[in-house]
Amino acid sequence: MKQVFGYMLILCSIPLLLLLGSEVWKELAKAQQHEQLIEKSMELPENTVPTLPITLYDENNEIFSEEYTEWSQPLKLDDIPEVVKDIFILSEDESFYDHIGFDVSAIARAFIANSNEQSIQQGGSTITQQLVRMRYLSVDKTYERKLMELFYSYELEKVYSKEEILEMYLNEMYFSNQVYGIGAAATYYFDRPLEKLTIAEMAFIAAIPNNPSLYDPIQNFDNTKARQERLLDKLTEHQILTLQEAAMHKQQPIELTVKTKIQHYPSYSTYVLQELKWLIGEQTGYNKQIASTTDKMEKEFLQLELQKKIDTLLQQGIHIYTALQPDKQKQDEAAINDILSHSELQASATVINNETREIVSIFGGKNYQKYDLHRAFQSPRQPGSAFKPISVFAPYFESTTATKNSIVSGAPYCVGDFCPENYGGIWYGNVTIAKAFQDSINTAALRLYNTIGVDTAFSYIDRFQFRSIIDKDRTYASALGGLTYGVTSLELADAYSSFIDGFYVPAHSIRKVTNLQGETIYSWPSEREEVWSASTVNTMRDLLQKVVTNGTGKGLYSYSGYLGAKTGTTNQFKDYWVAGLTNDYTTAVWIGYDTPRSMEAIEKQKIHFSIFNAITN
């Protein structure tokens, strides 16, 4: 009875099949009228391949971090073993090399099966249709979408050869766990390239795409193994394997070696990805355009355009070679975390190699996790007196004939309604500039600043990478580190590096960025700019050294043979800073609470000194 009913159902379905066919051909007729447009839409967009890994390398060219949301390693068709191609063609689309993008007989079978189910369950999908679905269409199971799928498949076959379609299909199909493509599946699940897998392993990962959830080998290993055996049977049906060979492959143990992301030193890698955006913006000219426009809409448009360019690059996969010193980064993180371990106190620190002017270590916060607030570059704070060498003293020596032994008054002093006090409320008379620097006398510093003027001072400040400083900061308060937002440890260490020899090269972590073929596509320029004369440098280095031996920096030390530093304390003890340089490194350290509050109770502990000493030696 059921058989008779089935035959009657088939006969009744013929008109519907003819109607379906006529709709398909109507769509194809429309395609002929818009052939150029269709061909353009079928061109392979740059972003159709899932995001490729961004690989970060340390100074020894060893991988320390992999950044990706999807794991993909596209292969050329010639590099994919024949048995893999056979498995997919035989299991998914036996008539692949014969149809025009869709298989009418398969559609008819699926239509009848779906009529029985009263829903869209079987698609009769060819490999071409599956590729179209992955690339262009939604996965909604409606007859309208199915017609569009057939239409696109027919046009896709006119634009690409069978070999090109198969290559794209094998590289774009989903293998569960955010893995795309057969090549990536091999390295993700077995930690070996595809050509190094056994036939049993190839068949095992080939089982996954049919239903990536059901055949997820990590969650449903037995399901994947069962389908692997069915695929091996399919190979025997077509005489690609003998029964004995298939039995042998079925018995081979499958041992997964699941790839995990290399994610070392998140403080450093998070910063590198930010610096990458700055680098691209600089090299493409977008940074200059964004900075020069005053139109908010235009600025937003330019920022969106820049982000699109960055996203496109990241999707293509890149290698980023950095200056990270992994042992130092590890030791610095451990030391600072240990110093901060029993409090809510936070810190940031940046260490620059004096010889190369590269960032070799950076600390974004206690027990930093990937993409947490990175205090070394995302959290500017008031720098207090640590800013004076950049804002007052070096510009003063550079602009006048004064020496460190020149006299300046430390008596109370106001510029307009700005009347700063000295630390502890101490009143000073006439002192040498060296004494004013050593004891961080605010009133004396303001007098020197007023002598050269705001514009002269900022003609030097503006040469450095103070991204947190804005136009509103061009005031007398800036002499003493009174800024709208403040600075970061990255910015302060970067500026202090000019006291190495008077020349300034913006400090960077990135040495070069290459594409997957190894070609350099971005790198920072290496031009040096002379900011300070040799006389100013010698004077500033001497003053910074005296701070450590006789001034507010007592307790700092270095084994390198030289140490010069400047401390900073902001109003109500909300921020403590120390910035300086040894023969090897230039370093800036900040400590404080994320929600600012007084640290006067812990002032004598000099925690920022402990951190500075730990990471500069």
Side-chain angles (χ1 to χ4, degrees):
M1 183 65 184
K2 287 183 179 179
Q3 189 174 19
V4 173
F5 178 76
Y7 284 130
M8 291 179 63
L9 185 59
I10 291 173
L11 290 173
C12 293
S13 298
I14 290 175
L16 292 175
L17 277 173
L18 293 174
L19 176 62
L20 177 63
S22 67
E23 292 298 321
V24 171
W25 291 110
K26 284 180 185 177
E27 294 293 341
L28 295 179
K30 290 180 184 177
Q32 296 298 324
Q33 298 172 17
H34 305 282
E35 187 167 356
Q36 288 185 341
L37 182 61
I38 295 301
E39 288 184 0
K40 185 177 180 180
S41 73
M42 289 297 164
E43 291 176 1
L44 181 60
E46 289 184 1
N47 64 353
T48 52
V49 176
T51 305
L52 301 176
I54 304 166
T55 309
L56 278 59
Y57 298 84
D58 63 23
E59 65 168 2
N60 304 312
N61 293 334
E62 297 290 336
I63 297 173
F64 72 90
S65 189
E66 294 172 307
E67 311 293 330
Y68 57 87
T69 55
E70 300 166 350
W71 179 247
S72 178
Q73 291 179 312
L75 299 175
K76 296 293 184 184
L77 190 63
D78 289 343
D79 296 329
I80 298 175
E82 289 299 321
V83 68
V84 172
K85 302 173 196 175
D86 289 337
I87 288 172
F88 281 100
I89 290 173
L90 294 176
S91 63
E92 298 292 334
D93 187 3
E94 288 189 23
S95 60
F96 173 68
Y97 286 104
D98 301 319
H99 60 63
I100 58 172
F102 55 88
D103 186 336
V104 176
S105 61
I107 292 172
R109 289 193 299 271
F111 187 87
I112 293 169
N114 292 335
S115 298
N116 283 328
E117 296 288 337
Q118 295 186 339
S119 65
I120 302 287
Q121 296 297 331
Q122 297 185 27
S125 294
T126 63
I127 282 175
T128 310
Q129 287 173 260
Q130 292 179 51
L131 177 61
V132 162
R133 195 180 307 140
M134 289 187 289
R135 180 173 291 184
Y136 302 111
L137 303 176
S138 71
V139 294
D140 297 335
K141 292 184 176 181
T142 65
Y143 284 111
E144 291 79 10
R145 190 211 56 84
K146 195 68 178 177
L147 287 172
M148 188 59 68
E149 180 184 301
L150 299 176
F151 162 70
Y152 266 72
S153 298
Y154 176 75
E155 289 298 324
L156 194 69
E157 294 253 356
K158 290 165 60 179
V159 176
Y160 294 106
S161 68
K162 291 287 186 180
E163 288 72 23
E164 289 172 321
I165 290 170
L166 183 59
E167 179 180 303
M168 290 185 282
Y169 173 76
L170 293 173
N171 280 318
E172 295 183 30
M173 70 176 75
Y174 184 49
F175 283 81
S176 194
N177 296 298
Q178 295 302 107
V179 178
Y180 290 83
I182 188 72
T187 57
Y188 184 84
Y189 291 112
F190 291 110
D191 198 25
R192 281 177 284 138
L194 182 62
E195 69 272 13
K196 298 294 185 181
L197 301 191
T198 65
I199 290 177
E201 291 167 335
M202 292 178 188
F204 185 83
I205 57 175
I208 302 169
N210 183 264
N211 189 326
S213 298
L214 180 63
Y215 300 123
D216 175 356
I218 297 175
Q219 301 296 327
N220 301 305
F221 183 92
D222 291 343
N223 291 347
T224 317
K225 185 68 175 71
R227 179 164 170 78
Q228 174 232 34
E229 295 184 4
R230 294 197 295 273
L231 293 177
L232 291 171
D233 289 338
K234 179 69 74 172
L235 294 178
T236 64
E237 292 173 17
H238 292 266
Q239 289 79 50
I240 295 171
L241 295 178
T242 65
L243 288 171
Q244 292 78 12
E245 288 170 334
M248 178 189 68
H249 293 312
K250 290 177 184 179
Q251 292 171 4
Q252 178 186 325
I254 299 294
E255 297 181 2
L256 298 178
T257 308
V258 177
K259 178 179 179 59
T260 56
K261 287 183 185 180
I262 299 173
Q263 291 273 277
H264 302 312
Y265 317 117
S267 269
Y268 199 93
S269 62
T270 300
Y271 169 69
V272 169
L273 295 179
Q274 175 59 59
E275 187 181 297
L276 175 67
K277 295 178 181 179
W278 290 334
L279 172 58
I280 296 171
E282 189 70 26
Q283 298 282 295
T284 57
Y286 277 102
N287 285 357
K288 183 178 290 187
Q289 294 180 63
I290 292 168
S292 63
T293 183
T294 56
D295 185 282
K296 291 184 179 179
M297 289 294 291
E298 183 181 1
K299 190 182 290 285
E300 186 173 340
F301 172 78
L302 289 169
Q303 289 170 338
L304 287 172
E305 287 294 302
L306 173 58
Q307 190 58 51
K308 286 181 184 177
K309 193 169 189 68
I310 293 169
D311 291 342
T312 299
L313 176 70
L314 299 184
Q315 287 171 338
Q316 295 169 354
I318 54 175
H319 299 292
I320 305 177
Y321 293 85
T322 78
L324 170 68
Q325 293 181 359
D327 290 342
K328 178 166 179 53
Q329 178 75 29
K330 183 177 181 180
Q331 291 166 8
D332 290 355
E333 287 183 6
I336 301 174
N337 281 326
D338 184 59
I339 291 169
L340 300 175
S341 61
H342 300 298
S343 73
E344 298 176 37
L345 206 60
Q346 271 293 356
S348 77
T350 303
V351 182
I352 297 169
N353 182 304
N354 288 353
E355 182 178 354
T356 64
R357 308 297 175 93
E358 296 173 321
I359 300 165
V360 296
S361 170
I362 194 164
F363 185 83
K366 181 169 61 177
N367 301 319
Y368 184 85
Q369 298 295 316
K370 197 74 171 177
Y371 303 121
D372 283 353
L373 172 68
H374 200 298
R375 295 160 186 82
F377 75 90
Q378 290 180 323
S379 185
R381 299 291 285 259
Q382 302 299 321
S385 294
F387 197 55
K388 291 176 184 175
I390 302 298
S391 62
V392 178
F393 289 92
Y396 183 79
F397 290 124
E398 197 68 22
S399 306
T400 69
T401 59
T403 70
K404 63 184 180 182
N405 295 318
S406 298
I407 301 299
V408 61
S409 172
Y413 186 66
C414 296
V415 178
D417 58 359
F418 181 56
C419 303
E421 293 184 355
N422 295 316
Y423 181 77
I426 300 174
W427 285 38
Y428 294 86
N430 289 338
V431 296
T432 63
I433 292 178
K435 175 70 171 176
F437 188 92
Q438 175 184 299
D439 291 352
S440 203
I441 303 173
N442 288 334
T443 50
L446 182 59
R447 279 185 169 88
L448 299 180
Y449 188 83
N450 194 25
T451 299
I452 61 174
V454 173
D455 290 341
T456 297
F458 269 85
S459 71
Y460 292 99
I461 294 170
D462 289 342
R463 299 188 188 190
F464 304 111
Q465 295 188 113
F466 287 112
R467 292 183 172 87
S468 309
I469 292 179
I470 60 176
D471 287 341
K472 288 194 297 184
D473 289 324
R474 304 177 80 88
T475 67
Y476 285 94
S478 65
L480 312 182
L483 304 166
T484 304
Y485 300 110
V487 300
T488 64
S489 67
L490 170 65
E491 294 169 345
L492 198 58
D494 172 69
Y496 267 61
S497 70
S498 64
F499 296 134
I500 296 169
D501 56 10
F503 288 87
Y504 175 63
V505 180
H508 298 122
S509 65
I510 296 175
R511 291 179 171 175
K512 65 178 180 179
V513 180
T514 73
N515 58 23
L516 297 184
Q517 290 71 48
E519 301 164 333
T520 299
I521 52 178
Y522 291 108
S523 63
W524 288 107
S526 57
E527 291 82 5
R528 301 182 349 138
E529 176 190 5
E530 186 174 10
V531 178
W532 315 119
S533 66
S535 174
T536 296
V537 170
N538 289 335
T539 300
M540 290 302 301
R541 288 175 67 90
D542 183 64
L543 293 180
L544 289 166
Q545 188 173 39
K546 290 296 193 297
V547 169
V548 176
T549 56
N550 301 313
T552 59
K554 285 182 179 179
L556 297 172
Y557 65 87
S558 170
Y559 302 127
S560 76
Y562 170 81
L563 172 60
K566 189 73 180 75
T567 61
T569 303
T570 61
N571 290 341
Q572 299 176 332
F573 306 92
K574 291 180 179 178
D575 304 276
Y576 288 142
W577 288 86
V578 58
L581 58 160
T582 69
N583 283 334
D584 301 318
Y585 301 116
T586 300
T587 303
V589 174
W590 164 86
I591 65 168
Y593 295 99
D594 284 337
T595 301
R597 66 178 191 262
S598 175
M599 294 183 290
E600 186 175 10
I602 61 171
E603 181 184 16
K604 292 182 179 179
Q605 296 180 37
K606 294 188 176 181
I607 293 171
H608 50 316
F609 282 31
S610 298
I611 293 173
F612 186 92
N613 291 337
I615 65 180
T616 54
N617 289 291

